[in-house]
Amino acid sequence: MTVGTVPFLDVGATYRELRHEIDDAVRRVLERGHFILGEEVERFESTWSAACGARHCVGVGSGLDALVLILRALDVGPGHEVIVPSHTFIATWLAVTAVGATPVPVEPDPATRLIDPASVEEVITSRTAAVIPVHLYGRPVDVDGFDALGRKHGIPVVHDAAQAHGASVAGRPVGRFGVASAWSFYPGKNLGAFGDAGAITTDDDELADRVRRLRNYGSSRKYVHDVIGTNSRLDEVQAAILTVKASRLDEWNARRSAVADIYRAGLAGTGLGLPDDPADVAQAWHLFVVTSDDRDRLRSEIGSSGVETGIHYPVPPHQQAAYRTGPAANLPVAEELSRTVLSLPIGPHLSVADATRVVEIVRSVSV
Ligand SMILES: *Cc1c(COP(=O)(O)O)cnc(C)c1O
């Protein structure tokens, strides 16, 4: 018997906290009777571009679509290579494959779990058409280093910011770096819709304009189609919900950060690999990921004491059946991380008492 489970993430809690505001917002849209590309999407787009310090925000159907549409707007396609992390959620790779280009994996620094500009530079070729760094787990990559690398080689840097809502570097939000950032508002993200949703932020007027057309059948005026577009739009209901939830993002991230502090202090000296927390970055703490050589035992033992955990991610993209078609890639860092990473519960509604209990349970098992 356990004294109640510590859930990995309580997605429904954001609704319970904001029930009245969200109900009002949804009702407003339903009563207005306008559901696609209207004032709610425009309002959320200006809210989110302001939050990111970017000139433009374009709402789209999902985080994967945001990446795909940026690559399409940049004319990345067959014959091109796009540099991606070997250790990431598979959507980063899928976006590259979706436009007919080839993902070229780069191993992360095991300490930060992120790719860095120096290792990316080693694999740049004449076919490299873009680089997609991922602010994995909510920790920003070296944004200035990537900007410099992009300028030096004339290669667009597209940031996968799907896990980094609210993260910043020296006070600068991550959504204003590179040529564009791709956002996911999948329900479990730090800023989550109640369905699929995504967005692109960019300072580039032309890129924003292209993505705007691509998401809407290649059209900027009804029945005039300049390019072969698709249908990938943020809808009015999700946009209205996101505008309400965005007003709480900083507060929710502060609560995540408090949980991260409890874990970092409480688990120091246990032998677990802990995420570090450099002073100049504000992490979004989308996930709190520890590493252990005995991960599966740790997971099952703390699980029987009621601590729910996740693994991000158990199989790296290059070892998925979808990508095992070519010669076997040798990516030992990604492979080791897939065997050792464990995500502890974290979220804006995880109480201090529960976080403290997680520490006690993990300590009782790992020492
Ligand atoms: C969630 C996620 C995506 C994809 O977002 P969807 O909205 O689910 O399509 C892409 N990249 C990373 C790193 C993610 O975590």
Side-chain angles (χ1 to χ4, degrees):
M1 269 299 287
T2 56
V3 201
T5 305
V6 182
F8 176 64
L9 173 69
D10 183 357
V11 176
T14 58
Y15 175 62
R16 294 194 295 277
E17 182 180 337
L18 300 177
R19 184 191 300 272
H20 297 296
E21 284 172 71
I22 290 174
D23 286 354
D24 285 351
V26 170
R27 193 175 315 109
R28 181 173 75 230
V29 177
L30 300 186
E31 283 174 359
R32 188 185 298 128
H34 182 103
F35 301 110
I36 300 293
L37 296 183
E39 62 188 81
E40 301 293 342
V41 170
E42 277 172 26
R43 181 177 304 131
F44 176 69
E45 287 177 341
S46 35
T47 301
W48 194 240
S49 58
C52 294
R55 284 166 69 101
H56 306 280
C57 172
V58 182
V60 298
S62 71
L64 174 57
D65 281 357
L67 286 166
V68 171
L69 295 181
I70 295 168
L71 294 178
R72 287 190 59 188
L74 293 169
D75 285 323
V76 177
H80 289 148
E81 295 173 351
V82 176
I83 300 170
V84 294
S86 58
H87 176 62
T88 181
F89 181 54
I90 197 166
T92 317
W93 287 47
L94 291 176
V96 177
T97 313
V99 300
T102 305
V104 174
V106 161
E107 293 268 66
D109 172 347
T112 62
R113 297 97 172 244
L114 304 173
I115 60 170
D116 55 58
S119 7
V120 167
E121 187 160 35
E122 285 170 23
V123 301
I124 289 176
T125 71
S126 57
R127 287 190 294 279
T128 306
V131 183
I132 312 184
V134 180
H135 307 297
L136 196 70
Y137 306 150
R139 176 172 176 166
V141 298
D142 174 3
V143 284
D144 296 311
F146 275 109
D147 271 358
L149 182 80
R151 273 195 306 274
K152 178 173 167 195
H153 292 274
I155 293 171
V157 177
V158 176
H159 289 285
D160 181 337
Q163 300 189 0
H165 312 78
S168 61
V169 179
R172 300 164 300 163
V174 292
R176 49 180 271 194
F177 293 93
V179 293
S181 293
W183 300 94
S184 164
F185 305 115
Y186 176 79
K189 309 290 188 186
N190 287 35
L191 178 57
F194 294 148
D196 277 312
I200 290 147
T201 51
T202 181
D203 279 345
D204 184 323
D205 300 345
E206 194 187 322
L207 184 80
D209 190 56
R210 282 186 173 210
V211 169
R212 246 177 234 293
R213 268 180 290 157
L214 285 171
R215 75 170 170 180
N216 190 31
Y217 311 121
S219 169
S220 44
R221 259 193 313 136
K222 202 162 190 174
Y223 304 128
V224 180
H225 303 272
D226 319 313
V227 288
I228 296 181
T230 185
N231 175 355
S232 180
R233 299 171 300 211
L234 174 63
D235 70 68
E236 290 279 288
V237 172
Q238 298 302 341
I241 292 167
L242 286 167
T243 301
V244 173
K245 293 181 82 179
S247 69
R248 300 306 201 285
L249 178 63
D250 288 347
E251 185 192 328
W252 286 343
N253 278 355
R255 291 195 228 152
R256 287 175 180 271
S257 181
V259 171
D261 286 346
I262 292 170
Y263 286 164
R264 277 173 22 88
L267 298 176
T270 52
L272 295 175
L274 299 178
D276 62 356
D277 192 16
D280 64 326
V281 306
Q283 306 195 47
W285 295 111
H286 173 59
L287 295 169
F288 190 95
V289 177
V290 301
T291 52
S292 163
D293 292 335
D294 211 1
R295 190 262 320 271
D296 293 335
R297 182 186 64 92
L298 175 64
R299 181 176 206 212
S300 95
E301 290 188 9
I302 66 177
S304 26
S305 299
V307 177
E308 284 182 3
T309 54
I311 296 177
H312 300 89
Y313 298 89
V315 181
H318 72 281
Q319 291 188 321
Q320 297 285 353
Y323 284 107
R324 266 194 328 230
T325 47
N330 180 31
L331 299 165
V333 181
E335 289 167 24
E336 171 158 346
L337 284 168
S338 72
R339 281 190 302 270
T340 57
V341 289
L342 183 68
S343 307
L344 299 182
I346 195 163
H349 298 88
L350 186 75
S351 67
V352 167
D354 275 352
T356 309
R357 217 178 119 220
V358 170
V359 166
E360 281 161 13
I361 291 170
V362 172
R363 286 195 79 96
S364 72
V365 167
S366 69
V367 289

